[in-house]
Amino acid sequence: MHIDRSEPTGEPCNIPQSDPTRPGRVIVDPTWGTLQPMAIDAGVRTVGELEVIEQLEAGRPVIDSRLADQHHAGTLPGASNLPHTDTVERRHELDPDTPSIFFCNGPQCGQSPAAIRALLAAGHPAELIWYYRGGLHDWMTLGLPTVAGS
């Protein structure tokens, strides 16, 4: 079976935007990107929002794998930025004893999957990599808070 996605409606908007006419609501562009698999690798755990919240509350690593300008525009509270383009070179910054959750723009964004695949190819242990596939897209559409990245 073949399923067609909606046609792009103009300039892609990778991050949901606040709806100025309806406070507390966001506008979502579902037409950009390529859908990503639920599981990146058999050894990498895919997690949802509750696990991300628990990780953040415990002060454990949550990694925004998007480029720095996207991170600065808005990210999860407490997330660190490690762009997917620099992940392997900067893997020494990852906690060697605690799994890190990687996220990007959402289910149609390839930045976290690219970072995770690069880490695995470089020999980083799969059990120390968790994947939040929903990313900023799902986080925002659920009304969870964001902050400007540092």
Side-chain angles (χ1 to χ4, degrees):
M1 177 161 93
H2 177 76
I3 297 176
D4 290 322
R5 290 180 67 199
S6 299
E7 290 294 321
T9 56
E11 187 68 29
C13 179
N14 299 4
I15 301 170
Q17 303 296 310
S18 296
D19 184 341
T21 64
R22 299 166 68 190
R25 303 282 178 116
V26 294
I27 299 169
V28 175
D29 176 3
T31 63
W32 67 275
T34 303
L35 293 175
Q36 300 299 312
M38 185 62 72
I40 300 298
D41 182 88
V44 174
R45 180 178 170 191
T46 301
V47 298
E49 291 77 21
L50 294 178
E51 291 84 3
V52 174
I53 291 167
E54 182 180 298
Q55 185 94 340
L56 289 167
E57 288 176 343
R60 295 189 301 259
V62 175
I63 308 296
D64 184 340
S65 62
R66 300 173 305 143
L67 299 176
D69 62 330
Q70 294 175 327
H71 173 77
H72 292 308
T75 190
L76 279 58
S80 300
N81 187 223
L82 181 55
H84 68 283
T85 54
D86 302 338
T87 307
V88 171
E89 296 79 20
R90 292 177 51 193
R91 69 183 180 273
H92 64 277
E93 297 175 27
L94 298 172
D95 188 320
D97 301 315
T98 303
S100 295
I101 295 178
F102 289 79
F103 74 94
C104 52
N105 285 317
Q108 67 272 42
C109 183
Q111 294 177 87
S112 287
I116 291 167
R117 288 183 185 110
L119 282 170
L120 292 170
H124 194 78
E127 64 273 9
L128 293 178
I129 303 171
W130 293 1
Y131 173 45
Y132 173 39
R133 180 178 180 262
L136 198 60
H137 177 278
D138 287 4
W139 188 265
M140 289 180 73
T141 60
L142 291 170
L144 296 168
T146 61
V147 297
S150 53

